[in-house]
Amino acid sequence: MNSRCRLVLLFLLIPVLCLATEEPTSLAAAGPRVEITNAGAEWQTLFDKLAAQGAVFSHFTENRWFPFKKIPVVLKGEMRMAPGRGMSLRYTQPENRTIIMDERGLLLRDDRGRSREVPPDPRAVSVNAALLPVLRFDQKELDKVFFLRAVRVEKAWRLDFEPRDPALVRMIGQIIVWGEDEKIRLLEFRRSNSQRIEIVIDDSQIGVVFSADELKQFFR
Amino acid sequence: MSFFRQKWFIRLALAVLAIAGLSWLSQLDYNQKISSNILDLVPSDERAPELALTRELASEVQSRVALFALDLPAGSDRRAAATEAFMRSLRDAPAFAEAVSLQDTAARDTLGRQVFQQRFDLLLPGWLESNWLEYAAGDKSQSWEEWLAERTVIRLQNFLSTPEALGFQDILPADPLLLLPGLVGSVQGLDNPASTDGAGPVLVWARTSGSPWKEEGQQPVFAAVKQAQAAAQIEAPGMKLRWVSIGRFAGENRARIEQELSGLNLLSLAAVMGIAALCLKRVFKALHLAPVMLGGLLGAWVATTLVFDRVHVLVFVVGSLLGGVAVDYGFYLYLQPPAFPDEPYRSKVRRLIKPLLSSALTTVIGFSLLLFSELPLIRQLGVFVSAGLLSALATALLWFAQIKTPFMQTRGFASVRFSGDRPRVRLVARGLIVVGVLVAVGGPWLLKWRDNIRELEIPTPELQAEATEVRALFGDSSDRTLYITRGRDLAEARAALARFSTWHAKEHPGVTLASIGNAVPTASEWQMLPERIGGMEKFVPALQAALERHGFDAAAFGPFFNDWQVWRSAPRSSYDEVGARLVGALHGPMQMMASIGPDRCWFFSVANHSSVGEPPADTGTVGVSGLENMNQLFGRYRVSALRLSAWGLGLVGLSMLVLYGPWRGAKIFSLPLGSCLFAFGLLGVMGQTLNLFHLLGAFLGVCLSHNYAIFTAENAARGEEQPPSIRLSALTTAASFGMLALSEIPVVKALGTTVALIVVTALVAVELVPLARRPLLSK
């Protein structure tokens, strides 16, 4: 690279560096630490909207990254969240299978409707006990379990939840939620760069009403 | 011999016998000699192996387990400190061998590590065998190693899209064959669920050092628990404790039995004395009957403790009723008026010895048959009653020989004879007899039998409710069924488990059968292992190539390839060593999962369905529905006891026919038989459910009423009126046994009710028959 090119590059980078010191322009990195129960009006409005959105239905694509796999394992399915019922992930690819996460724990249900409960791990706060407050945006519960880092660029935002309990950090790592307005776009469970799960949420429908059959089929 | 010399000679003989008996009893170790363990009612060489196994398990392993639920205030910051204080106190107490919090995953982690370290020995043989069968059934276009490598990677790829993959991702580099994930599904549910709810009770599993059936497994345990509770309450004053152990029930049972024994015996004595005071002219003279009863009881205790190494406490509870039978001989000898003034005692005895001996010996013959019973309790009762009756008769004969006037007069009403002179009285008497016959003939068909070993215990509702709560917290549920699969050695037990798994999968499709036995290869899989791995020299490069082909980083699986090489070059352990190492890693509650011992091996299995149907015998497996097995056992013993009782009664009846001739013998025998049938008939009409102990009570009642029949017949043969001893004896027996019907111990209640009913029936029959037969009496 000749000196002229270097000058051009520096010139181009100056405004970026200046902006970075003032406010974030991308969601690539975690934001500053925010008090969950005292996040300020800007964040509180978002939290209130997220907590009040009621039942949600969306399609998702899940990318699982393993340290021993060069490419991610891709799964597709439907996500249902119902207040008081928890979250249900129905995988449609590569196999039909449902995972239900609620107050009672984790339940796996196969295509034939046979259910199997995942026994809780007494070593740490159970995974569902950690995840449910995130899905509900229950600030009081969130504050008990996580530290929060938050960043916003215009309508887009990113919330990084880091468990306070080191055992939970070892189990699930960080939970990162990306969104736009009051819609969640991406959920990430990150233990490391090579070991993470991304759940990309495609078309979110907020405030849906699940039929009794749907509730029976996809929740406990 | 002069009366004076005879008196002192007899007194000396009685004193020597009493001192010898009491000396024997005083040197016994009653904690060792007397058992309150329900399981001691089951023969140690029980012929049904499943029951023997249940007995062994319940006695040796399960019975020492104590379960605790510590209720601590929600969110208390002292929660962990209180739990730690409780655990530390229990561990320090010699009464406890082990105490584990269910929050503590050390036992589970130890097992997990052991299975992981031994994964090639334990899980690879089965994995290879099932793959080989699949390969052999295919076209074999690829080599075995290439085919296996490709299948392994495809399965791994598929596994990564399952929810379980996220939990196993850290061990997959060391286990791409998915040996552990394959096992986990078949052992889940074996360990107790631990509450992770911060507000829920803290659960603690503990094992006592001593057997709960003995003193050292009771009071020291209670004291240690009290101390542990106090230690926890120092940390968290609001802490409450709920707990359950067999020792707690056994201790409570023992205390209540002792209380019942003293309370009911006092009541019985008061009832007997009350009747004696009403019927006898000089009550204090009735004290001469006491040595007869005491002599009978002493003889019974001595003989039973001499014959048996260990005697169940129920024998003494039930056996205390022996006094009611023993006193009959005293009554008969003492209340029988002299045949002529100043009749010598020898002459009186000569006159009465035949009915006395007939009565005693036939009863002894009947009870001796109980010695052939399979049930230790019944055998012990047989010895207790037989020895007691002979001792009572001997004591009665000796005792009255050393008193100057061996005759006691009754009050007038006690010996008054009713007559059937008036037609209306006759009609009523006959009507009552007809009704009695109808009940005796028809009623027994309405009887319902049900044997429940719980009836041997004193109901303790509060303890029971607490135990149910605590067991539910530990995962006990009617929706779970436990099975035990057994064999003489590991290979046999594992083969049986394989057969049982096949049966279970067919009977309960889709329901997982969890057993630690699934972590052990079958003996045939183990035997095939050298041959299978012998042909896998090129498996490692084939697997590395397959991994790369499917987008994996083969280098990331270094831990697996390293372990594989180490294992292949290491000397092979024996099959039994592999199994023993696994079982040796079971600690805490997991110890209950499996056992390998000399000449026996068993595995526990758990399935999430309610108990339905027993597995076929060739699976070597039985459902463990707690004491339900024991109930079946008791049902079987009742049938056995019924058969023996029938033989015993037959023998008693035959003795009567031989001693008194067919017609007279049959008439004598019809009284006890009819009374027994009437009592059962009445219980049947009243819709009562009977058990083994009603049957034993009936046997005792028959022997008592048999005495009355003989004494009545003997007096009638001599042209005398029926002796007042029958009325007095029946009334005192009915009173004392009637008191036992108030017992809270279902067994004692059953015995008391049955005996009292039979005796009263016999007395009523003895009184009614003359009323109904006026023409004969009027002559």
Side-chain angles (χ1 to χ4, degrees):
Chain A
M1 193 183 283
N2 59 32
S3 56
R4 208 169 69 176
C5 286
R6 281 198 191 111
L7 273 173
V8 171
L9 188 60
L10 185 63
F11 178 75
L12 287 171
L13 278 175
I14 282 170
V16 176
L17 292 170
C18 292
L19 280 172
T21 55
E22 288 176 359
E23 62 179 54
T25 55
S26 91
L27 303 176
R33 176 75 65 84
V34 170
E35 286 292 319
I36 296 177
T37 49
N38 188 20
E42 180 193 14
W43 290 111
Q44 191 57 50
T45 311
L46 174 66
F47 293 167
D48 289 343
K49 279 181 183 171
L50 290 171
Q53 61 188 357
V56 177
F57 172 86
S58 53
H59 291 278
F60 70 89
T61 303
E62 183 177 316
N63 300 313
R64 292 185 182 175
W65 296 87
F66 296 97
F68 45 79
K69 191 100 171 55
K70 293 170 187 166
I71 49 170
V73 176
V74 181
L75 299 94
K76 287 180 184 292
E78 301 159 354
M79 180 165 70
R80 289 171 180 79
M81 279 196 277
R85 295 269 194 157
M87 180 175 78
S88 167
L89 296 175
R90 187 203 178 194
Y91 293 97
T92 51
Q93 282 178 29
E95 276 182 17
N96 283 340
R97 190 179 275 120
T98 303
I99 300 180
I100 299 159
M101 191 185 296
D102 58 19
E103 298 283 0
R104 287 155 66 188
L106 274 176
L107 187 83
L108 310 181
R109 194 172 279 167
D110 68 15
D111 201 24
R112 285 187 278 177
R114 291 181 308 197
S115 298
R116 185 160 60 83
E117 207 147 349
V118 177
D121 188 334
R123 278 170 290 206
V125 179
S126 62
V127 175
N128 60 310
L131 286 180
L132 286 174
V134 176
L135 300 170
R136 288 197 296 248
F137 273 87
D138 180 340
Q139 283 172 260
K140 212 171 159 188
E141 288 301 310
L142 279 171
D143 192 46
K144 281 185 197 166
V145 185
F146 297 103
F147 298 113
L148 173 66
R149 288 177 183 278
V151 62
R152 179 189 281 266
V153 177
E154 297 178 356
K155 289 179 180 179
W157 46 265
R158 167 182 167 157
L159 304 172
D160 288 48
F161 294 94
E162 186 182 334
R164 291 172 187 267
D165 180 357
L168 196 58
V169 175
R170 281 194 298 276
M171 280 179 75
I172 60 172
Q174 283 179 304
I175 302 172
I176 308 169
V177 186
W178 275 271
E180 199 176 312
D181 290 332
E182 73 269 28
K183 286 195 174 175
I184 297 171
R185 294 294 184 207
L186 178 70
L187 275 166
E188 185 180 340
F189 301 89
R190 179 194 287 259
R191 292 174 80 189
S192 68
N193 275 341
S194 60
Q195 202 171 2
R196 65 184 201 274
I197 302 165
E198 293 171 353
I199 299 176
V200 182
I201 294 162
D202 299 334
D203 52 339
S204 227
Q205 297 166 37
I206 295 170
V208 293
V209 178
F210 297 122
S211 69
D213 281 349
E214 265 181 307
L215 288 173
K216 192 179 167 192
Q217 188 181 352
F218 298 112
F219 294 92
R220 267 202 257 224
Chain B
M1 193 188 286
S2 71
F3 174 73
F4 182 79
R5 285 186 65 189
Q6 172 186 305
K7 180 173 82 176
W8 284 107
F9 180 75
I10 288 170
R11 282 181 184 177
L12 185 67
L14 283 170
V16 168
L17 288 172
I19 289 167
L22 290 171
S23 304
W24 164 255
L25 292 179
S26 66
Q27 55 81 43
L28 291 176
D29 174 3
Y30 287 93
N31 278 334
Q32 195 279 327
K33 196 79 182 176
I34 297 177
S35 161
S36 59
N37 184 348
I38 283 181
L39 297 167
D40 279 340
L41 299 173
V42 184
S44 53
D45 55 348
E46 162 55 38
R47 62 169 186 243
E50 68 274 19
L51 294 168
L53 188 71
T54 306
R55 181 185 194 279
E56 180 193 323
L57 276 174
S59 180
E60 294 308 317
V61 189
Q62 288 182 320
S63 67
R64 293 181 190 222
V65 171
L67 307 175
F68 300 91
L70 281 65
D71 295 306
L72 291 151
S76 163
D77 55 347
R78 307 303 299 156
R79 199 176 161 85
T83 307
E84 183 51 36
F86 184 82
M87 301 274 297
R88 198 172 43 244
S89 181
L90 279 193
R91 283 178 186 145
D92 290 347
F96 280 90
E98 201 179 353
V100 180
S101 163
L102 257 58
Q103 296 282 335
D104 182 358
T105 57
R108 208 194 297 182
D109 295 344
T110 304
L111 177 62
R113 267 196 303 276
Q114 186 67 34
V115 174
F116 182 76
Q117 282 164 11
Q118 277 190 274
R119 65 191 184 283
F120 293 131
D121 281 335
L122 292 170
L123 307 172
L124 188 69
W127 184 85
L128 277 177
E129 205 52 29
S130 64
N131 275 298
W132 174 260
L133 290 174
E134 204 179 322
Y135 173 71
D139 58 6
K140 296 188 182 173
S141 56
Q142 284 176 295
S143 71
W144 160 234
E145 292 115 312
E146 280 178 357
W147 180 90
L148 190 61
E150 185 66 19
R151 294 286 298 177
T152 301
V153 177
I154 290 171
R155 281 196 204 118
L156 178 62
Q157 175 90 7
N158 293 339
F159 179 70
L160 294 183
S161 60
T162 65
E164 291 89 343
L166 304 174
F168 284 103
Q169 55 184 322
D170 291 338
I171 63 157
L172 290 180
D175 188 22
L177 310 185
L178 304 177
L179 298 176
L180 264 80
L183 172 71
V184 165
S186 60
V187 294
Q188 249 172 26
L190 282 175
D191 52 347
N192 307 81
S195 167
T196 50
D197 179 1
V202 175
L203 305 180
V204 174
W205 180 97
R207 187 163 54 85
T208 61
S209 308
S211 165
W213 308 111
K214 295 180 183 168
E215 187 55 28
E216 67 263 24
Q218 292 177 11
Q219 289 311 324
V221 169
F222 304 157
V225 172
K226 211 171 173 182
Q227 205 173 347
Q229 185 177 9
Q233 279 170 340
I234 292 171
E235 299 293 339
M239 185 278 246
K240 284 182 187 153
L241 180 69
R242 288 175 287 167
W243 69 291
V244 55
S245 80
I246 298 278
R248 219 178 159 195
F249 283 99
E252 180 72 14
N253 262 353
R254 183 183 278 259
R256 296 279 288 275
I257 284 175
E258 282 167 9
Q259 196 185 334
E260 286 249 335
L261 262 177
S262 49
L264 286 177
N265 281 342
L266 274 177
L267 266 177
S268 290
L269 194 64
V272 169
M273 293 310 289
I275 288 169
L278 272 174
C279 300
L280 300 176
K281 279 188 175 169
R282 297 164 77 182
V283 179
F284 74 90
K285 285 189 84 176
L287 289 177
H288 281 298
L289 295 169
V292 179
M293 289 166 67
L294 293 176
L297 286 172
L298 182 64
W301 272 73
V302 169
T304 315
T305 50
L306 266 171
V307 172
F308 298 100
D309 287 337
R310 203 159 158 77
V311 186
H312 199 276
V313 69
L314 272 178
V315 172
F316 301 106
V317 178
V318 175
S320 67
L321 316 177
L322 174 73
V325 191
V327 79
D328 274 9
Y329 306 133
F331 271 132
Y332 191 59
L333 266 173
Y334 202 25
L335 298 183
Q336 197 72 36
F340 50 87
D342 296 327
E343 181 190 26
Y345 182 68
R346 276 170 192 244
S347 158
K348 185 178 182 179
V349 168
R350 216 173 291 129
R351 185 160 51 87
L352 301 178
I353 195 70
K354 187 185 170 189
L356 282 171
L357 279 179
S358 309
S359 162
L361 293 180
T362 50
T363 308
V364 167
I365 289 171
F367 269 91
S368 300
L369 267 185
L370 298 185
L371 295 176
F372 296 101
S373 169
E374 295 161 289
L375 205 59
L377 174 72
I378 296 183
R379 282 203 302 272
Q380 290 161 12
L381 262 180
V383 170
F384 192 92
V385 175
S386 301
L389 289 183
L390 289 176
S391 305
L393 180 58
T395 311
L397 290 170
L398 289 174
W399 185 263
F400 292 111
Q402 52 87 45
I403 58 173
K404 200 167 182 184
T405 317
F407 171 59
M408 179 171 59
Q409 277 190 309
T410 53
R411 290 185 197 275
F413 73 88
S415 50
V416 71
R417 295 293 113 207
F418 302 113
S419 70
D421 288 344
R422 282 178 292 175
R424 188 174 289 175
V425 173
R426 229 171 27 245
L427 196 68
V428 171
R430 285 175 182 173
L432 286 173
I433 288 173
V434 169
V435 170
V437 168
L438 287 176
V439 170
V441 171
W445 300 101
L446 304 173
L447 283 177
K448 288 188 284 282
W449 295 89
R450 188 171 66 87
D451 292 283
N452 187 346
I453 197 164
R454 291 271 178 224
E455 290 183 349
L456 297 172
E457 298 173 328
I458 299 181
T460 43
E462 283 173 18
L463 269 189
Q464 200 63 51
E466 189 174 324
T468 307
E469 282 173 22
V470 175
R471 287 195 178 115
L473 288 171
F474 277 79
D476 201 8
S477 142
S478 58
D479 295 334
R480 264 161 61 107
T481 303
L482 289 177
Y483 295 97
I484 308 176
T485 303
R486 68 189 180 280
R488 275 170 300 186
D489 53 24
L490 178 64
E492 197 178 294
R494 184 60 187 86
L497 182 64
R499 288 194 296 276
F500 171 56
S501 297
T502 308
W503 173 84
H504 189 269
K506 207 180 284 178
E507 288 292 311
H508 304 279
V511 181
T512 306
L513 182 73
S515 174
I516 194 66
N518 292 324
V520 180
T522 63
S524 59
E525 288 165 352
W526 180 259
Q527 279 159 11
M528 292 307 294
L529 184 63
E531 191 181 320
R532 296 282 172 261
I533 45 173
M536 290 177 67
E537 297 299 332
K538 293 177 190 159
F539 177 63
V540 169
L543 183 59
Q544 284 167 333
L547 284 167
E548 289 293 337
R549 262 200 315 277
H550 287 272
F552 287 91
D553 177 6
F557 292 91
F560 167 75
F561 294 117
N562 186 47
D563 290 351
W564 175 264
Q565 294 301 350
V566 170
W567 176 74
R568 287 206 64 181
S569 55
R572 192 74 60 244
S573 304
S574 76
Y575 180 64
D576 287 331
E577 283 167 353
V578 167
R581 268 205 294 276
L582 175 72
V583 172
L586 299 174
H587 299 293
M590 293 193 182
Q591 282 173 55
M592 322 294 285
M593 290 181 184
S595 168
I596 301 176
D599 302 324
R600 57 124 181 82
C601 171
W602 49 259
F603 296 114
F604 253 113
S605 306
V606 180
N608 282 329
H609 58 71
S610 52
S611 176
V612 278
E614 280 292 303
D618 73 318
T619 61
T621 303
V622 283
V624 185
S625 41
L627 292 171
E628 292 307 313
N629 279 339
M630 297 289 179
N631 294 344
Q632 292 168 18
L633 176 76
F634 267 60
R636 212 184 71 208
Y637 285 136
R638 174 169 45 76
V639 175
S640 158
L642 186 63
R643 204 166 41 237
L644 282 174
S645 303
W647 275 103
L649 283 180
L651 217 55
V652 171
L654 195 67
S655 315
M656 289 299 95
L657 299 183
V658 170
L659 285 171
Y660 292 97
W663 173 240
R664 215 170 139 220
K667 267 193 351 189
I668 292 173
F669 192 55
S670 65
L671 181 72
L673 195 65
S675 306
C676 178
L677 286 175
F678 174 82
F680 275 158
L682 193 64
L683 291 171
V685 169
M686 289 165 72
Q688 291 285 306
T689 304
L690 309 193
N691 59 40
L692 173 66
F693 294 91
H694 285 93
L695 199 62
L696 287 177
F699 201 36
L700 205 62
V702 164
C703 292
L704 281 163
S705 48
H706 171 66
N707 289 351
Y708 310 153
I710 291 178
F711 298 158
T712 307
E714 281 289 334
N715 273 34
R718 291 194 299 268
E720 297 168 7
E721 289 192 331
Q722 62 167 280
S725 66
I726 292 179
R727 197 173 284 166
L728 211 55
S729 167
L731 286 175
T732 50
T733 308
S736 61
F737 279 83
M739 288 299 154
L740 296 180
L742 302 175
S743 171
E744 282 184 63
I745 310 173
V747 166
V748 178
K749 193 184 176 82
L751 280 165
T753 311
T754 317
V755 175
L757 206 53
I758 292 176
V759 167
V760 169
T761 307
L763 177 64
V764 171
V766 167
E767 301 287 359
L768 275 181
V769 170
L771 286 179
R773 291 191 315 196
R774 186 181 65 92
L776 281 175
L777 275 181
S778 62
K779 282 174 192 174

